[in-house]
Amino acid sequence: MYPDKHKEIVTSLMEGKFVTVEDLLFETIKKNEEFYITFFENSFGFELIVNQDFYYLVSNETNENTSRDISIFFSILSYELDKNGKNFLEELNYSEFHIDEIVEYFNNSSWTDVIKANKQLNNEENLKRHIGTMVKRNIAVKQSNDRYSFTKAHKLFIDFAKKLIKDNKNESIA
């Protein structure tokens, strides 16, 4: 017998969604964590990443670039928020952003070479579509009136950026 909401859990995670602490599915996975770790490993060869704020799947056999693009998105947004005197961690955790505000940050960013080189971020329409992808993966939530907030899943990408910065500092010291 499978846990409650098993099909919904499997479908969500297999579609690349994050199951965050705010989701009703989170508690079911948490109660059956060892089962799901084994289930995804034996059934699909995927690793279930366990975090206090979210669950998601990873595979060593993927060539998708969406995670890279999301990391770049958060890096640029965080940089621009910081440049504008805002605490980017607090903003990402607790604020809502109107789509026009996000577009303006990217249009006025000093990271123009990075933005132009990225197909997901290089113009307003693609940026909006990219945010839609983040909504489908439960990294962002569309609120009313074209406003967006970010789920706890954004922390994965911020932590990844911090690790990259730390690794680059260590390489430059060596």
Side-chain angles (χ1 to χ4, degrees):
M1 183 90 175
Y2 292 115
D4 289 344
K5 308 269 184 184
H6 176 70
K7 185 176 181 183
E8 190 176 351
I9 289 168
V10 172
T11 301
S12 292
L13 290 168
M14 293 297 289
E15 290 177 347
K17 291 182 181 176
F18 285 73
V19 176
T20 63
V21 69
E22 297 95 353
D23 295 331
L24 296 175
L25 302 177
F26 185 88
E27 281 303 314
T28 302
I29 299 173
K30 188 173 183 176
K31 287 178 188 169
N32 302 285
E33 199 171 272
E34 288 306 316
F35 165 79
Y36 279 111
I37 289 170
T38 303
F39 173 82
F40 283 110
E41 184 177 324
N42 292 341
S43 300
F44 305 104
F46 293 163
E47 180 182 2
L48 179 66
I49 302 298
V50 177
N51 184 293
Q52 67 181 6
D53 294 318
F54 52 82
Y55 292 97
Y56 69 102
L57 293 176
V58 295
S59 169
N60 291 333
E61 299 177 15
T62 182
N63 290 325
E64 64 101 14
N65 292 322
T66 304
S67 295
R68 178 203 63 194
D69 297 340
I70 294 169
S71 295
I72 293 170
F73 171 87
F74 278 117
S75 297
I76 292 171
L77 183 59
S78 296
Y79 178 84
E80 296 303 323
L81 288 168
D82 186 60
K83 190 171 84 178
N84 284 283
K86 297 179 178 178
N87 180 326
F88 70 89
L89 291 175
E90 287 185 15
E91 293 289 320
L92 294 175
N93 275 318
Y94 306 113
S95 296
E96 289 182 8
F97 298 86
H98 191 277
I99 188 67
D100 293 339
E101 180 183 8
I102 294 171
V103 168
E104 187 175 326
Y105 280 127
F106 279 76
N107 286 340
N108 296 326
S109 177
S110 55
W111 292 94
T112 54
D113 292 344
V114 173
I115 293 170
K116 285 181 182 174
N118 188 300
K119 292 179 183 172
Q120 300 299 316
L121 308 174
N122 63 3
N123 65 49
E124 186 174 327
E125 200 58 39
N126 290 343
L127 181 58
K128 288 179 179 177
R129 194 174 311 121
H130 182 66
I131 293 170
T133 298
M134 293 169 61
V135 169
K136 287 179 187 168
R137 292 187 173 213
N138 200 23
I139 299 164
V141 176
K142 185 173 183 178
Q143 308 293 341
S144 61
N145 299 325
D146 281 337
R147 299 190 68 78
Y148 293 88
S149 61
F150 299 105
T151 68
K152 302 281 187 199
H154 81 275
K155 292 179 179 180
L156 173 75
F157 303 96
I158 299 299
D159 289 345
F160 178 73
K162 286 179 186 175
K163 185 176 182 286
L164 274 180
I165 291 168
K166 186 176 179 180
D167 290 348
N168 283 341
K169 282 184 179 177
N170 289 339
E171 284 181 16
S172 64
I173 292 172

